[in-house]
Amino acid sequence: MVRIKLPGGEEKTFPVDRVPVAEVVEGLGGSWRRDAVAARFGEDVVDLHQDIEGEGEFCVLRVDDAESLRVLRHSASHMLAYAVIELFPDARLAFGPAIEEGFYYDFDVEKPFTPEDLQRIEAKLAELLGTRRPFRREVWDKARAREFFAKKSQKYKLEQIDDLPGNEVSIYHVGDFTDLCAGPHLEDTSRIKHVKVMNAAGAYWRGDSSKAMLQRIYATAFFKKKDLDDHVERMAEAEKRDHRKLGKALDLYDVRDEAGGGLVFWYPKGTVIRETIERYLKDEYIKRGYELVGTPHIAKCELWHTSGHYGYYRDNMYSLDVDGHEFILKPMNCPGHILIYKRKLYSYRELPVRFAEMGTVYRKEFSGTLHGLLRVRGFTQDDAHIFCAPEQLDEEIDRNLDFAIAVLTTHGFDTFKIELSVRDPAKQEKYAGSPEDWEMAERALELAVERRGVEYKRAKGEAVFYGPKIDIKVVDAIGRRWQLSTVQFDFNLPKRFNITYVAKGGERKQVFMVHRALLGSVERFVGILTEHYAGAFPVWLSPVQAVVLPVTTDVAPYAQDVKERLVRAGVRAETDVREEKIGYRIREAEVQKVPYMLIVGKREMESGSVSVRERSRGDRGSCGVEEVASEIVDAARAKR
Ligand SMILES: [Zn+2]
Ligand SMILES: [Zn+2]
């Protein structure tokens, strides 16, 4: 029997083992059948070609539902592959998933795709989409699928078939194109109208640089033309803001081939930004009752056996030989902080204990996945661990959320998306910690977000095995979402390390432990900030806050004097006394996004003033040196 529960609470039963989704939707009457893109059954998105079995909540997905976009895009990716195969019959197909911004498909082809190739592919795609073509789903046994894809020399598909569990695989046909795929897909191609091929880039098979280099075509699709137009505009804007380009142009930071991928070099100006952020955070730590600690970058492998990382995180860790003993380059700071906690026995009166560290960690990443400062091999977490008693949980979580929002707001973000990852109580056995502890922790997290009256998403079953967490995403200046802060419970490490405290009655109890990082990684955060501000950092973060520009060389000594007075007042100031025209040097300072340009000529020298030009407001006229200095210092102090 199949039993479904509809959003209105109504229940329906079907006296059979499996029902086609299309039939269920049909039975709802009204315009549901016509509007349906796909459906959600329990936790899964299913399409109208599939059957459902068992019981669960059932809801029809229409064009405006978020999950529908993925169905559209993934269907469009099959059409993209169809177009490529029509034009390049020898192309071998890898994966073609929907992603945040659209979809891609990886192809093994002899030569990388040229811009002309992409144009032809886009034209072929449009031609194929000119006809309404149904998607057809079939379930084949693996032997049949292997035979089919072997005949077409699709070796990557054969590898995928071997990796899939069970004896059967699902196949989707559209037109003359057949692909191995779990779905879900649209019913037919009629809704795929607004598609755009974006670009192509090299990508390793399974992201592994020891494997074949494939060509990945990025594309996107939307249900509505306006959404596609907005997206294309946003992508153009994103390209202008690319932090890798701006990092070089503004002389902030870079990754150096000589040293290897994913390892960031902080140049003097970038270091000013980073140091300013870190100093602000450290001041906040002190104000908010944290203690700063420091831990070594390498530690014996035994420590990582105790923490469990050696078992389930080994593929991400770098191992070193030190005097014939295996050491691990730390991928996380937690075991180090636990060792510091364990140096003595804490009493309940001393809790909570909050340890913070700008902790640099190293994690293995495939070279193909590295991306500027956003995806690196070495990075610094603004990491902290809180050790507390159960009755302190609510307040600690509340303070943390407060801290997170304050930090993100200070850096110029004002839109937050909060996600709460909780357990699936039906699968309690897969989680570390008791149901009561989970209950308490989840309630603390929920309470903290609800108290703020902010909207949040509760993701059931999304928690990792060791504890529930809150994730905070911010929305940047061009509408992109970035995951930054995490507040994560841990019921696993306290047990593994047996960390305790002396409770009121004198007995030893296991301490509660919370990991939290507000920026996430400093590298990634500065990369995101660079794009958010398009390099025009607010005054408090600008590496150079003011540049003094003498109109002619004979006032250069006065410019130097003004600069020194600014520096003494606490302003990060420079002069530009090159023998270039003043217009050229102003443009240069604008390109460098310096917030204040202070222009000095004979008149300013005689009256002891400067002529102020602001990055965002243009010329403001003349102003006293001390006056402008205190304006800049005030702005920086107010984190503007
Ligand atoms: Zn598919
Ligand atoms: Zn941790």
Side-chain angles (χ1 to χ4, degrees):
M1 193 153 80
V2 179
R3 191 200 307 266
I4 62 163
K5 191 171 170 192
L6 295 165
E10 189 193 339
E11 290 195 15
K12 280 192 161 194
T13 51
F14 302 83
V16 283
D17 289 342
R18 336 166 42 93
V19 201
V21 173
E23 197 182 306
V24 178
V25 178
E26 190 88 46
L28 300 176
S31 60
W32 286 107
R33 183 69 183 84
R34 199 188 60 222
D35 293 345
V37 172
R40 196 187 316 113
F41 180 58
E43 311 273 300
D44 303 321
V45 175
V46 289
D47 67 28
L48 293 139
H49 312 276
Q50 286 168 272
D51 296 341
I52 51 171
E53 51 187 307
E55 57 183 276
E57 290 175 8
F58 186 94
C59 140
V60 177
L61 297 173
R62 292 181 291 189
V63 166
D64 290 325
D65 292 300
E67 293 110 315
S68 298
L69 205 49
R70 293 189 78 84
V71 180
L72 170 78
R73 287 170 172 176
H74 178 62
S75 301
S77 96
H78 280 230
M79 294 307 289
L80 174 70
Y82 188 178
V84 169
I85 286 291
E86 290 278 299
L87 296 170
F88 304 86
D90 295 331
R92 298 202 169 108
L93 309 171
F95 285 117
I99 51 174
E100 175 97 25
E101 297 286 337
F103 62 91
Y104 67 75
Y105 212 113
D106 286 345
F107 304 94
D108 190 348
V109 281
E110 223 159 273
K111 283 179 295 184
F113 293 116
T114 62
E116 293 72 36
D117 290 338
L118 294 183
Q119 271 174 20
R120 283 171 60 213
I121 291 166
E122 194 167 47
K124 177 55 91 179
L125 180 58
E127 180 195 319
L128 292 171
L129 290 172
T131 313
R132 179 184 186 139
R133 296 163 201 271
F135 281 93
R136 275 194 306 118
R137 179 188 162 97
E138 280 187 291
V139 175
W140 289 359
D141 61 47
K142 279 190 169 177
R144 182 177 173 195
R146 270 193 205 101
E147 193 191 358
F148 177 87
F149 288 106
K151 213 177 275 170
K152 294 190 175 275
S153 312
Q154 292 294 352
K155 58 177 181 182
Y156 302 101
K157 296 292 168 187
L158 294 173
E159 225 182 291
Q160 288 171 45
I161 293 170
D162 291 339
D163 287 350
L164 288 168
N167 249 325
E168 291 181 328
V169 292
S170 59
I171 299 289
Y172 278 83
H173 307 280
V174 60
D176 300 326
F177 179 72
T178 298
D179 206 350
L180 173 75
C181 176
H185 278 285
L186 299 171
E187 271 199 288
D188 60 48
T189 57
S190 63
R191 280 200 171 100
I192 315 176
K193 282 193 193 120
H194 310 293
V195 192
K196 184 156 178 61
V197 174
M198 304 301 289
N199 51 19
Y204 293 106
W205 168 235
R206 296 187 191 277
D208 182 346
S209 64
S210 67
K211 304 224 160 102
M213 170 68 97
L214 309 175
Q215 290 298 310
R216 173 169 298 175
I217 299 185
Y218 286 99
T220 194
F222 288 89
F223 286 105
K224 294 171 188 149
K225 180 168 189 305
K226 168 142 196 340
D227 292 343
L228 176 63
D229 292 345
D230 289 350
H231 174 81
V232 170
E233 200 177 305
R234 208 167 52 230
M235 292 302 281
E237 186 54 42
E239 203 177 314
K240 272 192 251 161
R241 291 167 179 256
D242 190 323
H243 73 281
R244 293 167 300 179
K245 257 196 256 173
L246 286 170
K248 279 193 187 69
L250 303 177
D251 200 26
L252 302 175
Y253 46 69
D254 206 355
V255 172
R256 302 293 300 256
D257 276 345
E258 301 94 312
L263 302 167
V264 179
F265 285 80
W266 292 90
Y267 299 159
K269 285 180 181 167
T271 304
V272 171
I273 299 175
R274 177 183 175 153
E275 282 289 319
T276 307
I277 294 171
E278 291 192 1
R279 208 173 305 143
Y280 156 72
L281 272 177
K282 286 180 185 170
D283 286 348
E284 286 296 315
Y285 285 148
I286 306 304
K287 283 185 212 159
R288 293 171 188 262
Y290 286 75
E291 296 170 289
L292 291 169
V293 294
T295 55
H297 285 208
I298 61 173
K300 289 193 286 191
C301 63
E302 285 81 359
L303 182 69
W304 307 97
H305 279 293
T306 306
S307 71
H309 290 106
Y310 204 95
Y312 65 83
Y313 204 68
R314 194 176 180 182
D315 290 347
N316 298 85
M317 309 197 302
Y318 293 105
S319 153
L320 310 163
D321 184 314
V322 179
D323 297 337
H325 197 98
E326 188 185 10
F327 275 61
I328 298 294
L329 192 52
K330 69 171 169 179
M332 305 201 179
N333 304 301
C334 349
H337 290 188
I338 289 175
L339 289 189
I340 296 176
Y341 179 88
K342 278 192 84 159
R343 78 195 185 285
K344 60 177 248 185
L345 183 58
Y346 280 96
S347 124
Y348 72 95
R349 278 184 238 98
E350 297 167 280
L351 298 186
V353 167
R354 310 180 187 96
F355 291 151
E357 177 182 10
M358 289 293 161
T360 302
V361 296
Y362 292 87
R363 294 181 189 170
K364 274 191 190 169
E365 295 280 356
F366 288 126
S367 59
T369 62
L370 300 173
H371 182 91
L373 266 58
L374 301 184
R375 191 82 180 256
V376 291
R377 286 180 169 146
F379 56 94
T380 304
Q381 294 179 304
D382 61 317
D383 208 359
H385 294 91
I386 295 161
F387 304 91
C388 68
E391 61 273 17
Q392 296 169 323
L393 271 186
D394 288 0
E395 195 189 331
E396 280 310 299
I397 298 302
D398 200 46
R399 279 166 171 253
N400 248 294
L401 197 58
D402 231 33
F403 194 2
I405 303 251
V407 165
L408 301 177
T409 309
T410 300
H411 287 93
F413 297 105
D414 51 17
T415 311
F416 309 107
K417 306 278 170 191
I418 299 185
E419 195 169 303
L420 200 60
S421 298
V422 296
R423 91 211 118 124
D424 179 353
K427 295 179 186 155
Q428 185 66 47
E429 70 286 351
K430 76 172 205 186
Y431 300 104
S434 69
E436 299 75 41
D437 285 353
W438 273 80
E439 192 72 37
M440 199 179 338
E442 289 177 359
R443 210 211 41 229
L445 294 174
E446 227 156 21
L447 221 63
V449 277
E450 268 167 15
R451 209 171 292 155
R452 248 154 218 89
V454 287
E455 227 179 281
Y456 71 96
K457 203 175 113 195
R458 194 174 190 280
K460 193 173 112 184
E462 285 297 300
V464 282
F465 78 92
Y466 53 86
K469 63 168 177 173
I470 294 179
D471 285 320
I472 306 180
K473 288 186 181 139
V474 297
V475 180
D476 75 4
I478 56 170
R480 294 174 300 178
R481 287 181 188 194
W482 303 97
Q483 157 66 44
L484 296 177
S485 312
T486 300
V487 179
Q488 165 85 59
F489 269 93
D490 196 324
F491 295 121
N492 184 44
L493 287 182
K495 193 166 275 163
R496 295 189 80 107
F497 280 94
N498 188 28
I499 43 174
T500 56
Y501 67 101
V502 181
K504 253 194 189 117
E507 73 277 24
R508 288 233 202 160
K509 280 193 176 163
Q510 193 173 299
V511 76
F512 271 69
M513 179 179 177
V514 177
H515 312 252
R516 45 107 293 184
L518 306 184
L519 309 179
S521 119
V522 177
E523 284 74 8
R524 182 167 167 275
F525 186 72
V526 171
I528 291 167
L529 267 192
T530 307
E531 301 202 359
H532 177 58
Y533 287 119
F537 291 95
V539 173
W540 77 286
L541 291 174
S542 286
V544 179
Q545 295 168 319
V547 60
V548 188
L549 305 167
V551 178
T552 48
T553 45
D554 48 339
V555 284
Y558 175 64
Q560 187 61 30
D561 174 53
V562 170
K563 183 209 117 174
E564 278 161 19
R565 282 156 72 190
L566 290 168
V567 170
R568 273 199 301 276
V571 176
R572 293 190 290 267
E574 282 185 354
T575 53
D576 183 354
V577 294
R578 288 177 299 167
E579 284 178 34
E580 302 281 356
K581 289 220 167 60
I582 183 68
Y584 175 86
R585 282 175 290 143
I586 290 175
R587 264 199 311 282
E588 188 96 321
E590 268 166 359
V591 169
Q592 289 298 312
K593 324 248 182 200
V594 179
Y596 284 87
M597 285 152 264
L598 308 176
I599 298 145
V600 294
K602 279 221 171 61
R603 210 174 34 189
E604 283 78 17
M605 185 167 74
E606 275 152 22
S607 62
S609 65
V610 293
S611 175
V612 181
R613 188 183 167 91
E614 242 185 285
R615 182 181 63 196
S616 49
R617 289 162 58 190
D619 287 322
R620 268 174 42 187
S622 99
C623 183
V625 177
E626 269 60 45
E627 210 177 310
V628 77
S630 60
E631 180 181 324
I632 296 170
V633 169
D634 287 350
R637 204 168 283 150
K639 312 269 184 298
R640 275 187 277 124

